[in-house]
Structure formats: C-alpha cells, structure tokens
Amino acid sequence: MTKLKIAALALVGMFAATGGASAQCYVGGMAGGSIANMGLDTAFGGLGVDGLGARSSRPDFGGTVGCDMKLGTSPLFVGLAAKVVSQDVSFDVNPGLLSASLGNSWGALGRAGYQFESGTKAFAKVGWTQTELKIGGLAAPLLAGADIPSRLNGWTFGGGMETPLKGTPLVMGLEVDWTRYNSESIAGGLVDLKTDQLQGMVTLKYQFGGSLASASAAPLK
C-alpha cells in the first residue's frame, strides 16, 4: 500500500511540475476477467505440482487514476497510473479438500506509448502489483502453521489501446496485464509457491487537462 501512495503522490507532482500544460490526467473504471497458474516446488528431489489452473469466479472490476505527459512536440507520451481491482481468481486443488484464490489487488504502473492524430493511444506498461492470497477447504486448518503468505507481490507487464468517444471527455480501451508474482517459501522453505496471472480489462475513463486532452477530443477518422 505504501508504494501505491508513493505512486499517487508522483502523479500529483508530475501534473504540478508541468503546470497542467502538457499533462493529461484521467480517472476511470474497468471490468474483465483473469486466468492464472500456480505451481508448488518441494525440497524433496523434484517432487512438485505445476499447472494448477484458475480463472475468475466472477467478473474482475476496479478503478484507476493516472496522468500522461507528452514528450515535446512528438506523438510520444509517458505516464504513471495506480489501480485497485476486486477479483476472485479461484484454484481448486481437490474439490472440497483444498482451495486457493487470488483476492483483491492494487498496483502502480508506468506506461509509454504513441498517440495518433485521432486521439487513439497505443501503449506498453510495467509496474508492481500486490494481491491477496486466500487458502480454504477442509485441509486449510492443517496448514495454519505453514507460514503461508497472505499477500503476493510481483511485477506486471502489459499493454493496451484506448480511443476517445467522439464529442465527450470519455475514453474507452482494452488492456492486458501479465503478472509474475515473486516465489514464496512455505513451511520453512520445504515448498516454494510460484504464481502467474493473465488479466484482460475493458476500461472507461474520464480524462481532463493539458494539450493531450485537446488532441483526444478530435473526431475519430
């Protein structure tokens, strides 16, 4: 959460430093879904489990806030963003015996891309994400003393495109993120937990301020 606060302060500082002249900020919502993979590596000579697949048990949804800054007179831009997502990406190791899920997440990302004359933006992004980890099922009480982390931290890589809705300050887009969570040791290092997540989101943002905003208000071609 501290990193998220730092990202929010950086967004404010970036906008203030430019006097609003070349920074374009936005606030918006998102909805979509996820798939994930969990692997367990043990310290017992190659014993382990991989390919424990998971998917969203309900739609993922959340909010985002950020700012983009134009690079001189070029169509290139860079930006910072923060996001919070409500999700339930469920693993079922054995029906009723042991289950796990990736819960709510939050993160901070940087992005860079190209803005076309129509206002459409294409971009790549990289950042940090923290996600809740929940363990359930009949076997969960047996793992109570196994030092299972309550949160997973990892690096997120992704990209997307967004385009303005003609005659409005609204922008609609599609974003895809892949997160590789840091390996976590369980039961004193006897088991290593490895998790990856792929998430796709449709976004709707309200944007304001700066010279980028005037470009984005141009009609679609």
Side-chain angles (χ1 to χ4, degrees):
M1 185 63 74
T2 300
K3 293 184 179 180
L4 194 59
K5 293 178 180 177
I6 293 173
L9 291 174
L11 292 175
V12 174
M14 184 176 70
F15 185 77
T18 60
S22 60
Q24 179 187 71
C25 295
Y26 55 85
V27 59
M30 57 181 67
S34 299
I35 57 174
N37 178 74
M38 182 178 288
L40 300 173
D41 291 337
T42 73
F44 304 109
L47 294 177
V49 179
D50 194 14
L52 298 177
R55 57 186 178 84
S56 299
S57 62
R58 58 168 174 78
D60 302 348
F61 59 89
T64 182
V65 59
C67 288
D68 292 331
M69 186 168 61
K70 189 176 181 181
L71 297 179
T73 58
S74 76
L76 303 177
F77 66 90
V78 295
L80 292 173
K83 68 175 184 176
V84 178
V85 177
S86 174
Q87 62 181 14
D88 185 5
V89 187
S90 300
F91 301 83
D92 200 359
V93 179
N94 193 327
L97 180 62
L98 181 64
S99 63
S101 66
L102 302 180
N104 298 337
S105 70
W106 43 88
L109 303 99
R111 70 179 198 170
Y114 183 96
Q115 180 171 352
F116 299 90
E117 292 183 4
S118 65
T120 296
K121 294 178 181 178
F123 54 87
K125 53 183 178 174
V126 62
W128 167 91
T129 298
Q130 184 178 88
T131 299
E132 296 175 346
L133 175 64
K134 302 176 183 179
I135 302 295
L138 296 177
L142 301 177
L143 301 175
D147 300 322
I148 296 176
S150 60
R151 293 180 175 85
L152 298 176
N153 297 282
W155 288 98
T156 296
F157 306 89
M161 293 192 71
E162 56 191 33
T163 190
L165 301 180
K166 184 178 179 180
T168 76
L170 301 178
V171 177
M172 179 166 283
L174 177 64
E175 301 184 12
V176 177
D177 292 332
W178 175 70
T179 302
R180 178 62 183 264
Y181 295 102
N182 298 335
S183 178
E184 296 285 351
S185 294
I186 300 174
L190 294 179
V191 179
D192 287 332
L193 175 67
K194 299 180 179 180
T195 310
D196 301 278
Q197 181 180 6
L198 181 65
Q199 184 175 66
M201 292 288 222
V202 175
T203 63
L204 183 63
K205 302 174 183 176
Y206 177 91
Q207 61 183 15
F208 50 91
S211 58
L212 279 174
S214 61
S216 66
L220 294 175
K221 294 183 178 180

